[in-house]
Amino acid sequence: MQWIVHVDMDAYYVSCEIRDRPELAGAPVIVGHDPEAGPSRGVVLSASYAARAKGVRSALPVSLAATRCPEAVWIAPDFEKYERTAHDIRVLLRRHAARVVPLSIDEAALEVERPDPGSVRSWAAEIQAEVLRSLRLPCSLGASPFATVAKIATDQAKPAGIRVVPPEETAAFLRPLKVTAVPGIGPKTAERLHEIAIDTVGELADAPLPVLTSVLGRSAVGWRLLARGTPEPGLAELGPDQGPVQRSMDRTLARDSRDPAVLYPLLEQMAEGLGRDLRESSLRFQSVVVRLRWSDFGQLQHGRKLPAPTEGEAVLRREALKLAATLLARERDGAQRAVRRISLGVGDLSPAPPGQRALESFLAA
DNA sequence: TCTGGGGTCCTAGGACCC
DNA sequence: TCTGGGGTCCTAGGACCC
């Protein structure tokens, strides 16, 4: 019988840091930029379970986190360490499963053949023990024939747990959960469901389809099948492990500004950084988008698809500046808000053929 | 001293072609 | 002169996830 096992690291960034500083085990640890160290517009990236007990969560503004947990130990993020460790985790997982599909830096889905729930559980326990033994990191695992259910099971198992949901128990497992436990149902959708008296997955399962469609549109059928414990068959397989389809860079200004002398140099710097990143990854891009977030948190974006896959920082910089100029001109006719954050993204990525790269650098020289 | 920096996927409308 | 409807591409925007 084919199972999908979902592996999710517990408090990943914090666990990586505690591994290197074992004396912090059990302490309230926060990975993020300490607001004491200077003015910051940042948020918490990861909080240990001791910090979570004080109301600190990922994405909480650091200023609020410091108020809720003054005794916290703050550690600045070290993304290279987290990437390196993520690679080690994948290498370990690939030794145990025929197929491993990374879902994010700290999550992966595995395909595994096991005769019954008991043997899936012991297999998961071995993985968990080996991750702890050889990488000294805690993780949680969930198993089901269906990918989405495996992911939900993992969340229910946290921290450091294992939850196996046999197919015939799927409906009973899901029914009592809040709708927000389902990946893809976030705060907005949950609020609209609440308005029609649906708060749990069980209530979602029992709702008449036309009512559900009024809120969820054409995805109503799929959500209801899942809620009833009989997900669409496609969920019993892992999708293809496609490469990245877009890449972007975001910068929040230390202070909001609408001064071109501030905005354009920053954007050029971002184009350089993103362009370098693409070159190092041997990727070409065919679309460029600039997004501005204003001081009131409203957003405006403008993008352009290029005639052909392209590489080179010069093109990226030129396109980015043109798109930004369009956006700022649009705002000049409007409320004239100041910019809080600039995002520069590229999409329609494709691998750069090696010969082409040589020609590019020859022409650029 | 409220609200980061990465991503994915979906929808909807207009342009354009047949 | 009148004028359907399907298909696909492009752009903007939004919801969601870690």
Side-chain angles (χ1 to χ4, degrees):
Chain A
M1 174 179 188
Q2 167 118 321
W3 295 82
I4 293 175
V5 179
H6 193 268
V7 183
D8 198 330
M9 306 306 294
D10 297 334
Y12 181 56
Y13 296 171
V14 159
S15 296
C16 288
E17 298 300 343
I18 290 180
R19 172 173 76 164
D20 297 343
R21 292 170 64 181
E23 73 276 11
L24 292 177
V29 176
I30 298 175
V31 171
H33 292 287
D34 185 354
E36 294 281 300
S40 164
R41 312 175 85 172
V43 296
V44 170
L45 293 165
S46 180
S48 71
Y49 285 90
R52 291 181 197 197
K54 305 289 292 287
V56 178
R57 301 261 180 287
S58 295
L60 191 74
V62 293
S63 51
L64 264 172
T67 310
R68 291 189 187 175
C69 189
E71 72 276 28
V73 178
W74 289 80
I75 300 176
D78 178 353
F79 294 105
E80 276 181 30
K81 179 194 288 185
Y82 312 144
E83 288 289 353
R84 224 168 37 233
T85 306
H87 175 259
D88 295 342
I89 295 167
R90 284 166 200 167
V91 167
L92 187 158
L93 294 177
R94 289 203 172 95
R95 285 208 300 271
H96 290 87
R99 225 170 138 227
V100 176
V101 177
L103 300 174
S104 74
I105 192 169
D106 73 332
E107 270 179 292
L110 282 52
E111 261 176 15
V112 49
E113 190 74 28
R114 291 283 124 168
D116 56 75
S119 64
V120 180
R121 166 168 285 277
S122 44
W123 184 83
E126 280 172 37
I127 301 266
Q128 190 180 51
E130 189 176 337
V131 170
L132 190 61
R133 187 174 58 242
S134 66
L135 299 172
R136 284 176 293 135
L137 291 171
C139 66
S140 299
L141 297 93
S144 155
F146 306 104
T148 307
V149 179
K151 183 170 165 62
I152 297 170
T154 308
D155 288 336
Q156 299 301 313
K158 281 181 167 293
I162 294 171
R163 185 77 155 92
V164 178
V165 182
E168 67 277 8
E169 291 174 23
T170 306
F173 164 69
L174 293 174
R175 278 196 76 86
L177 303 179
K178 291 228 163 38
V179 288
T180 47
V182 178
I185 300 187
K188 304 273 183 182
T189 307
E191 179 53 35
R192 281 184 294 144
L193 287 171
H194 176 74
E195 285 165 12
I196 55 170
I198 294 174
D199 294 301
T200 66
V201 179
E203 286 160 357
L204 184 61
D206 298 339
L209 196 53
V211 174
L212 224 44
T213 303
S214 70
V215 168
L216 299 174
R218 92 173 75 175
S219 42
V221 175
W223 287 126
R224 199 171 70 152
L225 281 172
L226 172 68
R228 292 180 165 192
T230 53
E232 288 164 304
L235 282 176
E237 283 161 31
L238 296 178
D241 186 6
Q242 50 172 11
V245 302
Q246 64 179 58
R247 202 163 281 197
S248 63
M249 188 176 275
D250 301 69
R251 289 292 171 268
T252 297
L253 280 63
R255 288 199 6 243
D256 297 354
S257 168
R258 76 187 94 166
D259 182 357
V262 171
L263 302 178
Y264 287 133
L266 175 57
L267 189 56
E268 290 190 281
Q269 220 177 297
M270 291 167 64
E272 292 290 336
L274 189 56
R276 195 180 321 120
D277 179 29
L278 291 168
R279 180 155 38 78
E280 285 165 4
S281 313
S282 297
L283 288 170
R284 300 199 288 187
F285 57 94
Q286 205 185 333
S287 57
V288 184
V289 60
V290 173
R291 191 180 309 111
L292 299 181
R293 166 161 274 168
W294 309 99
S295 41
D296 64 1
F297 261 68
Q299 290 195 129
L300 206 58
Q301 76 171 51
H302 188 42
R304 180 167 119 81
K305 178 141 186 169
L306 306 174
T310 305
E311 52 198 311
E313 278 129 82
V315 180
L316 181 55
R317 188 171 56 237
R318 192 173 65 229
E319 291 296 331
L321 290 173
K322 271 198 284 191
L323 293 167
T326 306
L327 286 173
L328 290 170
R330 234 187 262 172
E331 183 66 9
R332 262 198 298 282
D333 304 331
Q336 301 222 15
R337 295 164 289 184
V339 174
R340 175 187 177 89
R341 186 178 70 173
I342 302 182
S343 307
L344 173 61
V346 290
D348 300 297
L349 301 181
S350 56
Q356 197 71 29
R357 282 210 306 284
L359 179 64
E360 275 279 329
S361 47
F362 171 76
L363 291 174

